[in-house]
Amino acid sequence: MPSGLIALALGGFGIGLTEFLIAGLLPQVASSLAVSEAAAGWLISGYALSVAVGAIALTAATARLPRKHILVGLAALFVIGNLLSAVAPNYQVMLLGRIVAALCHGSFFGIGSLVARSLVAPEKKSQAVAVMFAGLTVANVLGVPFGALVGERWGWRAAFWAVTAIGLLALAAIAALVPSWAGRVQPVAGAGQATEAGAERVPFSGLAQQFRAFRSWQVWLTLVATALGYGGMFGAFSYIAYTFTEVSGFAPADVAWLLMVYGVGLVVGNLIGGRAADRDRDRALVLALLGLALTLALFGLLAESATASVVLVFLMGVTGFASVPGMITRVTDFAHGAALAASANVAASNVGNALGAWLGGVALSAGLGYTAPLYVGAGIVLISVAVMVVAAQRARSSQEADRLAVR
């Protein structure tokens, strides 16, 4: 495993921690900064919105810069944001720190995925992306309990100081271990391909040229499938605590370890999905999404069983994240390595998160019960399956036409 991938995974781990740990610290932060719970909630929702904005804006602004330099700059931005949060004298500075840290999130994973895939042989590109995202999935497991534990013992500011230190370590690791040629763009005519030096030989280097990548229907179909797949999973996940306590019969204190079971599923699904995508990407994506839809529907049917709920929340994590590495390599392949498309995939997932959570809330408000978000999520994911099937069929038809033309 290239050491550069470990550096990228460490960066992903730090970014994941800062995203998730705040959930376990909100009561302390609200009390310390003398704001309401609703205002404190903006430290989470404001972060999510900034991720979507930063994914496009920062990637566009840095289109012509070397990708290693961009990643080092994004890591520095991450450190500054968390440092602001750690020393924040008031709520406004705290929110600013969260926004600054969030701006690097989408671009880091978008550009980082291009760098990661350039570090390995082409047949292992999805596995390389999965390794980078392993940091994020591990952070999902550890984020909330880490924040709660550190906050309880040393105060909420200590948690942000710890994340700042992790950010500095990731910055140093990326600067030292990621090769300068990694993900380098060589603008030439023709389709994207990796060179021995790890450069992407692509026709999209400048910003205006990168927007040409969005002329591809395959790019748009993949972005839509990503948004719907994420939306279905997080639409159900947003209200999963209510399902556990109100339907499955778990005590509120059990929710923390149940969420860790889900997080372990994310880690497993990420690694399995990367390997499967390198064998047959479109087939792996369709099966992963179908598995997620089936898992959510079964969860809704069997939620009254505590044992079934534990098994199904684990499978929800596995199937929910199994599509992530393949989706990213798919969109970047059809975008011929355009970094803007890679970051757009991250933005699409956050848009899907917001859509799914809203639709799940609508179902709850309509009085359909605490299993309703699971069924809503299953329905959203089924639409994602349909989109992915259409994308796969179009891609297969295009490949067949190319083969015939060569003959």
Side-chain angles (χ1 to χ4, degrees):
M1 184 183 300
S3 57
L5 282 181
I6 304 300
L8 293 174
L10 181 60
F13 177 68
I15 290 175
L17 273 185
T18 201
E19 178 180 13
F20 300 121
L21 67 79
I22 188 66
L25 298 173
L26 273 188
Q28 287 188 44
V29 173
S31 175
S32 175
L33 301 180
V35 296
S36 66
E37 293 178 354
W42 272 101
L43 298 175
I44 296 177
S45 53
Y47 183 98
L49 291 173
S50 298
V51 169
V53 172
I56 302 300
L58 287 185
T59 304
T62 58
R64 290 187 177 275
L65 298 178
R67 286 172 178 169
K68 176 180 177 177
H69 295 175
I70 298 171
L71 290 176
V72 171
L74 292 173
L77 190 65
F78 171 79
V79 169
I80 292 170
N82 281 284
L83 184 60
L84 281 173
S85 295
V87 302
N90 53 48
Y91 172 77
Q92 288 74 19
V93 176
M94 178 69 176
L95 181 60
L96 175 62
R98 292 289 291 168
I99 291 173
V100 170
L103 288 174
C104 76
H105 184 127
S107 291
F108 183 88
F109 284 109
I111 295 171
S113 65
L114 296 173
V115 171
R117 58 181 288 170
S118 74
L119 297 175
V120 300
E123 65 271 15
K124 294 185 177 181
K125 59 189 175 184
S126 293
Q127 293 178 63
V129 172
V131 170
M132 185 190 72
F133 271 86
L136 177 65
T137 56
V138 171
N140 195 296
V141 178
L142 300 179
V144 174
F146 172 84
L149 178 63
V150 174
E152 181 181 346
R153 294 195 176 188
W154 297 289
W156 64 268
R157 293 183 188 275
F160 284 97
W161 278 114
V163 175
T164 301
I166 293 172
L168 285 170
L169 183 60
L171 191 158
I174 292 169
L177 301 177
V178 174
S180 58
W181 50 258
R184 185 173 60 222
V185 175
Q186 296 180 356
V188 297
Q193 61 183 36
T195 69
E196 292 77 13
E200 293 279 352
R201 299 181 59 82
V202 300
F204 307 122
S205 57
L207 178 59
Q209 292 172 316
Q210 287 209 42
F211 275 108
R212 288 168 51 198
F214 293 94
R215 295 178 181 178
S216 167
W217 272 106
Q218 288 293 344
V219 169
W220 283 107
L221 288 170
T222 308
L223 293 177
V224 171
T226 295
L228 293 173
Y230 262 95
M233 179 175 69
F234 280 95
F237 178 74
S238 298
Y239 306 96
I240 201 70
Y242 294 105
T243 307
F244 285 141
T245 57
E246 303 299 326
V247 182
S248 303
F250 287 102
D254 292 324
V255 172
W257 71 261
L258 287 165
L259 293 181
M260 291 188 70
V261 171
Y262 168 78
V264 171
L266 294 181
V267 175
V268 174
N270 175 56
L271 298 176
I272 291 175
R275 295 182 69 87
D278 282 332
R279 293 192 182 99
D280 188 335
R281 186 171 56 199
D282 284 357
R283 184 170 182 268
L285 290 174
V286 171
L287 290 177
L289 291 170
L290 272 175
L292 177 58
L294 178 61
T295 297
L296 293 176
L298 283 175
F299 203 161
L301 290 171
L302 303 176
E304 292 184 359
S305 166
T307 301
S309 295
V310 174
V311 173
L312 288 166
V313 78
F314 171 75
L315 292 177
M316 179 176 161
V318 172
T319 56
F321 222 82
S323 63
V324 172
M327 285 294 190
I328 290 181
T329 57
R330 192 178 201 279
V331 79
T332 51
D333 276 353
F334 282 104
H336 302 308
L340 195 59
S343 295
N345 189 267
V346 180
S349 67
N350 279 269
V351 171
N353 293 353
L355 173 65
W358 175 70
L359 290 175
V362 169
L364 284 178
S365 300
L368 299 179
Y370 290 112
T371 59
L374 292 164
Y375 293 119
V376 170
I380 296 173
V381 177
L382 281 176
I383 300 175
S384 180
V385 172
V387 173
M388 193 62 240
V389 168
V390 170
Q393 289 178 340
R394 288 176 66 100
R396 194 179 303 113
S397 298
S398 178
Q399 291 170 358
E400 185 62 31
D402 290 341
R403 283 194 293 269
L404 291 174
V406 171
R407 292 175 184 176

